[in-house]
Amino acid sequence: MKVLDGRKKQVFRKGEAPFEFDCEKQSLAGSVSQRACVFCGSRVVLYPIADAVHLVHGPAGCAAYTWDIRGALSSGPELHRLSFSTDLREYEVIHGGEPKLYQALIQLIERYRPEAVFVYGTCIVGVIGDDLEAVCKKVSALKGIPVIPVHSEGFKGTKKDGYKAACAALMQLIGRGPTDGISKYSVNILGDYNLAGEIWIIKDYYRRMGVEVVAGITGDGRVKEIERAHGAALNLVQCSGSMNYLAKLMKEKYGIHSLQVSYFGIEDMAEALYGVARFFKDAEMMKRTQELVSGEIRAVYPKLLEYRKALAGKKAAVYVGGAFKAFSLVKALRLLGMETVVVGSQTGSKQDYALLKELCDDGTIIVDDSNPVELSHFIREKNVSLFIGGVKERPIAYKLGIGFCDHNHERKIALAGFVGMLNFAAEVYQSVMSPVWQFTPRYMQSETRGDVHDECSRTVCP
Amino acid sequence: MNAHEPYAREVTINACKLCNPLGASLVFRGIEGAVPLLHGSQGCATYIRRYLISHFKEPVDIASSNFSESSTIFGGGANLKQALQNVISQYRPALIGIATTCLSETIGDDVRLILDEFKREYGAPGRPVLVTVSTPSYQGSHIDGFHDAVQAVIQQVASGGPKKSMVTIFPGMVSAADLRLLKEILIDFGLDFLMLPDYSETMDGVIWDTYQIIAPGGAPVSKIRAAGRSKAALQLGRCIRRQQNAAEYLAERFGVEGYTLGLPVGIKETDRLMQTLAILAGRDIPRKYQEERGRLIDAYVDAHKYLYGKKAAVYGEPDLVLGMASFLAEVGMVPAICATGSKSGKLAEELRKLLPESEEGMTEVAEGVDFEDIRMLIERVRPDVLIGNSKGYPLARRYGIPLIRVGFPIHDRIGGPRLLHMGYRGTQQLFDRIVNALIRARQDQSPIGWSYI
Ligand code: SF4
Ligand code: SF4
């Protein structure tokens, strides 16, 4: 396989060459990038706010493709699971979509009585020149709720710019609510989207430590909670790609410190709790945290070791949206005795990739904004037993007879927290050790070559 | 029959349609060695890929010309050329199918002109066939993109000449299993044929040994070239607009004998297809199909009481709805709601032709609706069963009505591409599923819980 000329610097093999890496670029035309668009980035971040109406201003497709596709759960209202679109037609493309948008907003607000509305601009809106700002302002004044434009026109950058647009929109909510009664030991959880109920697991840990969670931003999100977020003492930022910018804005405006955390894997999860206890400099809290962590680890460790026994020595490939998640996954796989030999992300930054390089062993392929042709080649070349990615990567793995674990936003199994690590190990185990691979060409070839393959005897397989 | 107007509101809630380039991409994926390329922003291609992947569970590569801000100002010509260049060097395709998006249409890119330039600059050797179709989603929906792409391929690739024995068939947007069945039927009739598109293998293939950057299978370009020399062309789909009907085009342009038939769902519509093929092949309907037909009628008889008067809500592309309605009526059910997110403008009229007069007034026909409109119809009509794609599941759950999954997409079950809807065999499967769903509903609701029926 030939890596396209324009992408040569976005692929790196550790140990082979000086580290000159390119990233944060617009995808190459015609390269079949796995990325989506600015709109997608915004939608990902804001979508879990469950008591807001999310109106996509544009033609029907952009909204239809994002209807209820993500596993972000709500403990209450579920407005976010509906798909609203202005469904622009030719008439509006020619004459402008503002009147239609105005009507749509009024109708939606009257019918669903949301706490706020987010209006997403799509490509076409950027071209026909609708003034989102003005329409939103007008409706907001009339209806007395925040109506917030999200400038997410697809062509105006990459998914990362979409994160930024979403953060800017969130800043319009933050600061509107009262902050009295908020504990001095309080945090906001940034960048967890409550996939498969993960934020509930995390919130429970913090509660047991004696820490108040003011707002989930945006997992299981509520407008009124986010409006009070500026009252928290600390911001915990997961998924660096999407929420660092918000943490930065909140630091500038409200002086709130932030901590980078990850809830995936034993090490990182424990550190996410210890970091908070250290920040609050409270001995009692630290003690409670230690007890919590050791109790949780004790509960999952024996079982993890069992999985490790079966999985040790196997190789894995990781290709995810944000690079920060990739770090955690490399570490979590290592805990299971597995080696990551291909790792990449859609939106990593230079520092992210430098860190990844440090973390990985020699020979590991590091890749930015990859595509199916490259990915399929790398995973075959490295003969991995497991691929971790999202929906678009899954068929690449399966077609080649390789195990797969979904670590994207569609997943239905919680992977965060200590219990999440156990779920993760179980999922990896169930995929890698399944007897179905024995029928696949990859397995049969490795058998004739006499390779050590993914052995699966009936006694191990559930 | 009541033509139901969607109630006036300016917002679409849970759309019952997708956008045009999705349909076009599917068509291009059904051509051997072809790669679809969307002219617009990256997002459209990626969203469409993942939507297709979630149904087909196969790799679906769709390239994008990846607009940036400057391309929306100065035009996307340079991007499109670079995209073509990169697709050629990565995929070595036989054909690239270029579909526009809302964005490139709105800024008014002249794709044909850009392609002419590209052809001149690139030269002939090693250059794939380039087909372009205009697919702005603010006009129409995915099914329009589908038919427009088929038409574009034929208009831009097919040529005439002395007639051959080949028959060309345009199956419409059906499942991979349906396509396989159609091919089997054509082979059993001994016909040489072109089926366009044919994604039976490319979108529902076998496990691989090495990665195939373009999935094997699909309608061969050489046969598409010869389409103008077919002895006959069949378009399946009655709701298709005249300008989109590729069989009619071949008839007008090259004097090919053109036929327009319905999707062969149910006995009556399948009979029409089989009789047409029998005439074209100059032989009787093979015994195998006569037996399938006989067994199907036998099953109709065995189960007729479970179905009589039961009301169904059918939704999806107009021709799928029409085919289902025609089948439901012939087994004594009432297609009480016939809904589509598209606007063919022909569904009501075609239904009127196919449904018995006694059903007049019992059927609500709704075009251009979303799932919110369908919900309101369900509230009013209270059907016994829903028949349509998996996006109706929230309604099935909310109202406790069984959902028979048909069509596209099936995102909450495995095997969407393997669902058979057509022919006697497909009707048989459909029939069994519907009857069993109704029996199950009765069984579950019964306080007795009988285990024998
Ligand atoms: S912009 Fe148009 S083509 Fe692109 S996803 Fe939206 S509706 Fe589809
Ligand atoms: S039209 Fe723009 S905003 Fe919509 S999906 Fe395509 S790239 Fe994204």
Side-chain angles (χ1 to χ4, degrees), chain B residues 43-87:
Chain B
C44 313
T46 303
Y47 274 133
I48 288 171
R49 285 177 64 207
R50 50 158 301 156
Y51 209 85
L52 289 168
I53 288 172
S54 302
H55 173 88
F56 287 100
K57 320 237 183 285
E58 294 280 324
V60 181
D61 289 12
I62 298 171
S64 162
S65 60
N66 204 346
F67 267 51
S68 62
E69 226 167 336
S70 61
S71 8
T72 64
I73 301 167
F74 303 113
N79 275 57
L80 180 54
K81 287 187 209 165
Q82 196 198 4
L84 288 167
Q85 196 63 261
N86 282 333
V87 169

Side-chain angles (χ1 to χ4, degrees), chain A residues 59 61-62 65, chain B residues 19 21 44 101-102 137:
Chain A
C62 320
Y65 299 130
Chain B
C19 70
C44 313
T101 60
C102 303
S137 302

Side-chain angles (χ1 to χ4, degrees), chain A residues 124-178:
Chain A
I124 208 168
V125 171
V127 174
I128 63 177
D130 280 359
D131 188 347
L132 284 193
E133 206 86 48
V135 178
C136 289
K137 222 178 232 151
K138 193 162 144 200
V139 176
S140 182
L142 189 71
K143 292 292 177 186
I145 58 165
V147 178
I148 301 172
V150 186
H151 298 287
S152 53
E153 291 85 348
F155 59 83
K156 289 190 174 164
T158 65
K159 195 168 166 186
K160 257 194 177 166
D161 298 289
Y163 296 151
K164 278 197 171 174
C167 291
L170 284 167
M171 279 306 277
Q172 295 200 32
L173 282 183
I174 295 168
R176 290 171 50 98

Side-chain angles (χ1 to χ4, degrees), chain B residues 70 180 403:
Chain B
S70 61
R180 280 193 289 272
L403 168 65

Side-chain angles (χ1 to χ4, degrees), chain A residues 318-339:
Chain A
V318 173
Y319 187 77
V320 287
F324 208 71
K325 201 194 282 172
F327 303 149
S328 295
L329 286 169
V330 172
K331 286 191 253 176
L333 287 166
R334 198 168 277 163
L335 188 71
L336 295 175
M338 297 179 73
E339 187 195 345

Side-chain angles (χ1 to χ4, degrees), chain A residues 27 35 90 399 410 445, chain B residues 12 46 50 58 66 139 209:
Chain A
S27 302
R35 283 182 185 164
E90 191 148 27
K399 268 303 189 211
E410 293 77 16
Q445 281 164 5
Chain B
T12 294
T46 303
R50 50 158 301 156
E58 294 280 324
N66 204 346
Q139 300 168 342
D209 165 357

Side-chain angles (χ1 to χ4, degrees), chain B residues 29 41 51 60 112 230 278 300 392 444:
Chain B
R29 291 275 311 186
S41 298
Y51 209 85
V60 181
R112 279 187 181 244
S230 316
Y300 275 12
D444 288 351

Side-chain angles (χ1 to χ4, degrees), chain A residues 196-222:
Chain A
E198 288 174 343
I199 209 169
W200 298 327
I201 298 172
I202 309 301
K203 277 186 175 172
D204 180 58
Y205 295 153
Y206 287 125
R207 188 187 51 76
R208 282 154 63 190
M209 284 166 59
V211 173
E212 178 185 347
V213 176
V214 180
I217 306 178
T218 55
D220 198 12
R222 297 292 179 281

